[in-house]
């Protein structure tokens, strides 16, 4: 009986390993799933592949979860009970945060597999190279080689942002979803854009400045842009360095630890970081760390 249990356990473990390796390619229609990708997430090296490898590449890059239901911004200000308002606010955003982090974990797992393959002196396929270079473009990695240095640079950018940090910044920057930028333009993170007509012109914009407060078509696009900003923009090099160091130490990423990397998110600098940390501590019971 014990031998049977041991054999069964080994078989299940083997199946789990095979499933994990094959997972990126199990989605039924990668061409349809790719329509949920943002412009900057679309593969840049796909034309060099045959049709079978093109589907494999798309399957690698797509979200593991389909788009949650897109809804208008609720009237959070109308919820008078503070605890209920906070809970409703977090519940509105959480599915989109989980979706972004789910894709990042999927991409990261594949990069780690290719890193291990290289360590074993195994040759990468053309489709695997196309995957790496597509991520170099998406995550703005300047290093041009798909070697150990290039993959390490990529891993520093292809990683999750703790939900507690995302939710807290959204609450801070949008006044718990009550700002006109959030209610009228789904901008929950105070993000700017620099093309005339791309968003709202700030009422107190200094003379000679041309930035606008970005307007998004839905909440998914807003959260997606926030993740893209923190994972690619040079201003957040410190955040990514802190995250990479935490991965080396114990692998535990928390909003409290990564908040220090937001010192340049606001002109208030260290005061802003302190406020974000205080808000995370004050509201942890309303949200789960992921």
């Amino acid at each position: 009986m014990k031998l049977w249990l041991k054999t069964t356990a080994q078989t299940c473990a083997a199946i789990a390993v095979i499933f994990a390796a094959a997972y990126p390619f199990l989605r039924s229609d990668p061409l349809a799933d790719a329509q949920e990708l943002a412009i900057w997430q679309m593969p840049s090296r796909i034309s060099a592949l045959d049709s079978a490898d093109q589907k494999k590449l798309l399957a690698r890059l797509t979200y593991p979860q389909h788009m949650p239901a897109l809804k208008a911004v609720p009237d959070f200000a109308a919820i008078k009970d503070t605890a209920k308002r906070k809970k409703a606010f977090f519940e509105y955003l959480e599915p989109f945060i989980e979706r972004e982090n789910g894709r990042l974990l999927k991409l990261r797992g594949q990069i780690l597999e290719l890193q291990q393959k290289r360590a074993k002196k195994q040759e990468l396929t053309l489709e695997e190279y196309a995957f790496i270079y597509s991520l170099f473009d998406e995550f703005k990695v300047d290093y041009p080689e798909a070697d150990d240095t290039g993959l390490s640079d990529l891993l520093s950018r292809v990683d999750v942002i703790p939900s507690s940090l995302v939710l807290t910044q959204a609450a801070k920057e949008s006044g718990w979803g009550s700002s006109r930028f959030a209610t009228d333009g789904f901008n929950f993170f105070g993000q700017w854009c620099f093309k005339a007509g791309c968003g709202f012109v700030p009422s107190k914009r200094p003379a000679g400045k041309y930035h606008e407060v970005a307007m998004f078509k839905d909440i998914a696009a807003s959260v997606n842009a926030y993740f893209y900003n923190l994972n690619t923009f040079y201003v957040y090099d410190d955040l990514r360095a802190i995250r990479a160091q935490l991965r080396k130490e114990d692998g535990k990423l928390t909003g409290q630890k990564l908040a220090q990397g937001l010192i340049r998110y606001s002109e208030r600098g260290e005061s802003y970081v302190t406020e974000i940390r205080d808000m995370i501590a004050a509201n942890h019971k309303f949200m789960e760390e992921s």
Side-chain angles (χ1 to χ4, degrees):
M1 188 67 165
K2 290 183 179 179
L3 178 60
W4 179 82
L5 287 172
K6 182 178 180 180
T7 302
T8 301
Q10 290 175 336
T11 301
C12 291
I15 292 173
V17 171
I18 293 171
F19 180 83
Y23 179 76
F25 314 111
L26 295 178
R27 296 292 291 272
S28 58
D29 189 353
L31 295 177
D33 293 339
Q35 295 178 15
E36 294 188 0
L37 295 173
I39 293 174
W40 57 78
Q41 295 173 324
M42 289 298 293
S44 57
R45 311 286 169 141
I46 197 166
S47 61
L49 305 175
D50 61 29
S51 59
D53 278 347
Q54 286 184 14
K55 288 184 178 181
K56 285 184 180 180
L57 177 57
L58 289 175
R60 285 185 180 277
L61 296 171
T62 52
Y63 285 87
Q65 300 165 277
H66 283 301
M67 180 73 74
L70 296 171
K71 302 176 182 178
V73 179
D75 186 0
F76 295 113
I79 305 174
K80 300 307 179 183
D81 184 277
T82 300
K84 290 181 179 179
R85 182 169 65 252
K86 290 181 177 182
K87 188 172 184 294
F89 180 83
F90 290 149
E91 287 179 348
Y92 177 69
L93 288 164
E94 278 170 348
F96 302 96
I97 296 169
E98 291 173 1
R99 183 169 178 267
E100 294 297 333
N101 278 331
R103 180 175 184 263
L104 287 165
L105 285 175
K106 173 185 170 180
L107 297 177
R108 185 176 178 84
Q110 295 176 81
I111 297 167
L112 289 169
E113 288 178 2
L114 296 182
Q115 196 176 52
Q116 292 172 359
K117 187 174 180 179
R118 278 186 47 82
K120 295 176 182 177
K121 308 299 182 183
Q122 297 175 353
E123 185 65 29
L124 302 186
T125 67
L126 179 62
E127 180 266 328
E128 289 170 337
Y129 275 115
F131 170 66
I132 293 170
Y133 280 102
S134 289
L135 293 184
F136 281 172
D137 289 342
E138 177 179 341
F139 289 89
K140 297 188 179 300
V141 176
D142 294 330
Y143 190 82
E145 298 297 329
D147 58 11
D148 292 340
T149 300
L151 292 179
S152 293
D153 287 351
L154 195 55
L155 285 169
S156 73
R157 296 177 178 235
V158 184
D159 207 346
V160 300
I161 302 173
S163 59
S164 64
L165 187 64
V166 186
L167 290 168
T168 300
Q169 275 207 281
K172 169 62 181 171
E173 297 293 336
S174 71
W176 292 94
S178 64
S179 74
R180 73 181 180 99
F181 303 131
T183 58
D184 297 345
F186 293 99
N187 190 333
F188 282 77
F189 302 96
Q191 298 176 93
W192 290 0
C193 55
F194 298 90
K195 183 179 180 180
C198 63
F200 305 92
V201 176
S203 58
K204 296 182 180 180
R205 186 175 68 180
K209 299 294 184 179
Y210 300 96
H211 68 275
E212 297 182 10
V213 179
M215 182 183 296
F216 299 97
K217 64 177 182 178
D218 51 48
I219 183 60
S222 177
V223 174
N224 177 257
Y226 167 87
F227 272 78
Y228 179 76
N229 187 24
L230 265 59
N231 277 334
T232 64
F233 197 34
Y234 74 92
V235 167
Y236 307 112
D237 285 344
D238 288 347
L239 182 145
R240 297 190 291 270
I242 294 169
R243 184 173 61 186
Q245 184 60 38
L246 291 173
R247 284 295 189 193
K248 290 180 181 179
E249 293 174 357
D250 59 14
K252 296 180 180 179
L253 308 181
T254 67
Q256 286 283 5
K257 293 178 180 178
L258 263 66
Q260 186 61 41
L262 297 175
I263 196 164
R264 296 179 66 185
Y265 199 96
S266 166
E267 294 178 352
R268 295 173 56 223
E270 196 65 51
S271 296
Y272 181 81
V273 171
T274 298
E275 186 168 357
I276 293 297
R277 283 176 167 161
D278 288 347
M279 287 182 67
I280 292 174
N283 295 290
H284 70 91
K285 61 184 177 181
F286 299 110
M287 54 189 173
E288 295 182 3
E289 187 74 270
S290 64

